[in-house]
Amino acid sequence: MIDMIKTPTVQQEGAIQFEYLPDGRGLLRPHVLIVCEGCSKEALVRADGSRRFCSKSCSTLIQHAEGRSRQLSGIEHYAWKGANAQYQALHMRVARARGRADHCEWRATAGCKSRKLEWSHVHETDPSVPQNYRSLCKTCHQRYDSQTGADHANAKLTALQVELIRQRYKAGGTSQQALADEYGVSQSAISRITRRRHYR
Ligand SMILES: [Zn+2]
Ligand SMILES: [Zn+2]
Ligand SMILES: [Zn+2]
């Protein structure tokens, strides 16, 4: 049935929008927009998969982190799941209400060049309201967050993000500053995390 669709197309089924895109063998398969549980980026993934991750590497990292979280006490596990679920839910709400971030609202004045576009929470507003997000490029988003102290939903790192930061730093190839930029925190915060101070 699915394979009979010959050109990329979009089909709506309730709240879920399927985009038919070619898979590795050139067959059109339904894809859905998700927010990756690992890196929190939006991604179009195969609808017949787990719909949780943007890539194999995010999947591997999280499966590993989840293995660890199962060893936590009941209440810790609950908190770990809850923080992550809440963060995902906020992002999905914005994506559902407004689609994907498709331009940088500050481009004309900022002269920025990044083609990575993201919803950026307007600080000191309710993060559960989709209108309280701006469409910005990654550069402007990070600059805004670091200037204003990053109070948005992502500011306080979840246990999952802390785990990912540790693993990525340990694996090598990613500097503390790069991780700090990516997660919108200071390099000293990353340093503390990798030395296992402050964060559990
Ligand atoms: Zn990812
Ligand atoms: Zn932000
Ligand atoms: Zn920009």
Side-chain angles (χ1 to χ4, degrees):
M1 183 90 117
I2 286 157
D3 295 343
M4 293 180 60
I5 299 166
K6 292 282 190 280
T7 50
T9 176
V10 173
Q11 285 187 6
Q12 195 81 24
E13 259 183 51
I16 300 177
Q17 184 173 294
F18 291 99
E19 289 188 41
Y20 286 81
L21 300 169
D23 66 2
R25 286 177 296 171
L27 292 171
L28 291 171
R29 303 275 184 195
H31 285 60
V32 288
L33 183 64
I34 61 146
V35 174
C36 175
E37 289 185 25
C39 64
S40 301
K41 288 183 183 118
E42 290 172 19
L44 271 169
V45 299
R46 288 271 296 264
D48 57 359
S50 73
R51 304 188 188 182
R52 297 180 59 196
F53 308 108
C54 70
S55 63
K56 187 83 191 137
S57 64
C58 276
S59 163
T60 306
L61 278 172
I62 301 294
Q63 308 289 355
H64 184 94
E66 286 184 343
R68 282 176 52 96
S69 91
R70 261 181 242 113
Q71 295 157 15
L72 301 175
S73 72
I75 195 125
E76 283 173 321
H77 184 81
Y78 184 80
W80 184 88
K81 280 281 191 200
N84 193 45
Q86 190 194 11
Y87 181 69
Q88 298 302 324
L90 290 175
H91 273 74
M92 282 313 290
R93 193 177 303 181
V94 181
R96 264 191 229 106
R98 301 182 61 183
R100 268 183 275 180
D102 61 356
H103 71 294
C104 179
E105 294 180 19
W106 293 348
R107 184 130 304 181
T109 47
C112 49
K113 292 194 170 63
S114 173
R115 278 187 286 178
K116 287 192 174 155
L117 301 163
E118 304 171 341
W119 290 115
S120 164
H121 172 236
V122 178
H123 301 157
E124 288 166 28
T125 63
D126 182 352
S128 68
V129 177
Q131 297 316 315
N132 291 340
Y133 290 75
R134 291 185 188 101
S135 178
L136 293 181
C137 74
K138 196 179 172 85
T139 308
C140 288
H141 183 182
Q142 285 179 353
R143 192 173 297 152
Y144 172 70
D145 281 354
S146 59
Q147 274 170 1
T148 49
D151 77 332
H152 76 39
N154 193 18
K156 194 166 170 291
L157 297 170
T158 64
L160 174 62
Q161 290 172 316
V162 168
E163 178 65 24
L164 285 167
I165 288 167
R166 283 196 186 121
Q167 288 182 23
R168 289 176 57 190
Y169 187 68
K170 212 171 91 185
T174 312
S175 70
Q176 291 187 354
Q177 189 59 55
L179 290 164
D181 291 345
E182 182 175 336
Y183 287 89
V185 297
S186 65
Q187 184 263 325
S188 59
I190 299 291
S191 171
R192 271 199 304 280
I193 288 168
T194 57
R195 285 177 292 130
R196 294 190 180 258
R197 283 187 209 159
H198 183 61
Y199 288 99
R200 216 167 51 82

